[in-house]
Amino acid sequence: MRLSALGEFGLIQAIQKLSPRTAPGVVIGIGDDTAGLTVSPNTLLLATTDMLIEHVHFELSFTDFYSLGWKSAAVNVSDIAAMGGLPRFCLTSLGIPPYTSVEHITEFYRGFNALLARHKIALVGGDTCSSKRGLAISVTLLGEAQRKKALTRAGAKPGDKIFVTNTLGDSAAGLELLQHKGQGSECRGQGVKKLIERHLRPVPRVAWGRAIALSGCASAMIDVSDGISSDLAHICEQSKAGAVIYSTAIPLSKALRQSQTMLKKPLLDYALSGGEDYELLFTAPPAKIKKLLALKIPLIEIGEMTRSRKLVLVDEKGRSKQLKPTGYNHFSGSRA
Ligand code: ADP
Ligand code: MG
């Protein structure tokens, strides 16, 4: 069905129908001038927003609308996870080109709501506009965290160990394979599907982030959205410290290794500067490691914080080199 047949208000009603009506904390939901929400006492209200723009963040030639909805929610939920918080309420604003079908928007909300449902997050509002060209999605997410337990990027100390919660680089490799496929080349193999899945349907680590924060063991945390060369640099900057990481300790998945012959770059590049992994990257003092291990969360130690204010990579031969942040930079138009 064409959007024009439904109109703005018809579409909002359709979105409303797709979304759960009641949820804890929602006093006023979709349909009024604002939502009215309550959060638990003595908590910090966490607020985050992310935009996804067609041709900048995603291509509809190889992204289905369900995955797009899922990912639009997941990238925001991951930011709340990185604070050790609990995601609660969500608002979505869409700029929709007139040639988009109602079914596509419905699929978008199915994917979006599936991710929200996993975390019991309520969709409480948004805005719907037409766009002359290209789909624009803006998601705002509110969450909460215990005031004294929220984890920021500041707080890492020299000597703290650096951990990640899973393998890195799959998403960036998945994106490259999708782009190849778009150009008609053959990308097959057991690993390929997994890499593509990690790109299109990332899984935010909310439970792990909360457990890490509530344990009181970690000193700083961030989610890996731009690649660890950039994200660890943020921790270093905010914590006024440096870091050394070991290339042999960076976890690479079996799927990534299996797909090596189809990929253009050395595997480590995907992990260091690929991004969109949405795993957690955090630091903890050595004395807390035993307690951390007891949380039974996948923890992979990749290096330690230093005094130097530099980010250093030690290669498999023991040689050190300074690592420059190489994540995506919007206004340089490409990777730094
Ligand atoms: P207003 O003109 O007061 O901003 P709107 O007509 O834009 O109201 O929106 C009506 C209701 O529908 C509001 O509760 C708004 O938050 C909600 N809403 C609008 N667009 C969306 C959307 N894309 N997703 C979720 N809720 C939406
Ligand atoms: Mg409005």
Side-chain angles (χ1 to χ4, degrees):
M1 191 200 292
R2 293 179 71 86
L3 266 181
S4 54
L6 206 55
E8 178 190 340
F9 298 109
L11 182 62
I12 294 174
Q13 265 174 15
I15 292 168
Q16 201 172 355
K17 270 199 202 126
L18 280 168
S19 311
R21 261 151 211 261
T22 56
V26 182
V27 182
I28 304 164
I30 293 180
D32 221 302
D33 292 315
T34 76
L37 314 167
T38 59
V39 287
S40 315
N42 303 317
T43 57
L44 280 182
L45 180 63
L46 307 175
T48 181
T49 189
D50 262 308
M51 287 189 85
L52 285 95
I53 304 289
E54 189 178 351
H55 305 306
V56 177
H57 299 95
F58 62 91
E59 293 293 343
L60 291 173
S61 56
F62 55 73
T63 310
D64 60 285
F65 275 83
Y66 186 101
S67 295
L68 186 60
W70 173 283
K71 190 165 176 176
S72 304
V75 300
N76 280 277
V77 172
S78 180
D79 280 324
I80 300 280
M83 304 297 289
L86 187 67
R88 299 285 311 271
F89 311 111
C90 184
L91 297 106
T92 53
S93 296
L94 302 178
I96 311 173
Y99 47 80
T100 313
S101 75
V102 174
E103 288 74 16
H104 282 155
I105 300 301
T106 306
E107 259 315 277
F108 174 91
Y109 272 95
R110 281 194 213 291
F112 192 85
N113 287 336
L115 196 282
L116 295 197
R118 273 196 177 197
H119 300 284
K120 303 192 170 64
I121 302 165
L123 179 64
V124 298
D127 199 21
T128 309
C129 314
S130 65
S131 153
K132 292 261 186 230
R133 207 177 308 146
L135 179 62
I137 302 157
S138 170
V139 178
T140 299
L141 188 64
L142 303 175
E144 59 183 63
Q146 282 184 28
R147 193 177 277 268
K148 295 223 167 84
K149 300 279 185 175
L151 280 171
T152 67
R153 299 171 181 187
K157 299 266 184 312
D160 285 359
K161 300 292 182 189
I162 303 167
F163 297 90
V164 287
T165 47
N166 202 349
T167 56
L168 301 170
D170 286 3
S171 173
L175 171 61
E176 192 185 289
L177 292 169
L178 281 167
Q179 286 165 336
H180 278 220
K181 267 187 157 177
Q183 286 151 18
S185 76
E186 287 291 302
C187 295
R188 292 225 183 98
Q190 289 179 316
V192 171
K193 220 175 136 204
K194 280 195 185 144
L195 299 180
I196 289 176
E197 167 112 2
R198 281 199 79 187
H199 180 72
L200 293 178
R201 308 249 182 112
V203 177
R205 306 302 188 184
V206 177
W208 295 350
R210 293 231 324 139
I212 292 164
L214 291 175
S215 74
C217 294
S219 47
M221 188 152 71
I222 191 168
D223 64 325
V224 184
S225 55
D226 295 331
I228 44 172
S229 67
S230 291
D231 296 314
L232 187 53
H234 293 316
I235 288 188
C236 289
E237 201 174 305
Q238 296 290 322
S239 299
K240 301 188 170 48
V244 55
I245 54 174
Y246 301 93
S247 65
T248 51
I250 312 270
L252 304 177
S253 71
K254 198 172 149 200
L256 189 67
R257 292 177 197 280
Q258 281 171 339
S259 310
Q260 187 158 20
T261 54
M262 281 168 269
L263 295 166
K264 290 182 188 158
K265 293 180 285 186
L267 297 187
L268 199 60
D269 285 15
Y270 297 92
L272 292 176
S273 52
E276 298 205 285
D277 294 299
Y278 300 106
E279 294 299 331
L280 298 171
L281 171 69
F282 68 98
T283 58
K288 297 281 171 80
I289 291 177
K290 217 168 147 197
K291 198 173 161 196
L292 266 177
L293 290 172
L295 298 176
K296 303 251 178 293
I297 290 170
L299 299 177
I300 303 138
E301 190 181 319
I302 60 166
E304 60 259 338
M305 299 300 294
T306 61
R307 256 173 229 295
S308 74
R309 300 295 297 264
K310 286 190 187 123
L311 181 51
V312 171
L313 177 73
V314 176
D315 72 12
E316 67 288 352
K317 296 201 171 110
R319 293 172 302 205
S320 299
K321 71 165 186 195
Q322 198 173 338
L323 203 55
K324 296 267 180 249
T326 47
Y328 191 79
N329 182 323
H330 280 270
F331 296 106
S332 74
S334 66
R335 291 182 173 268

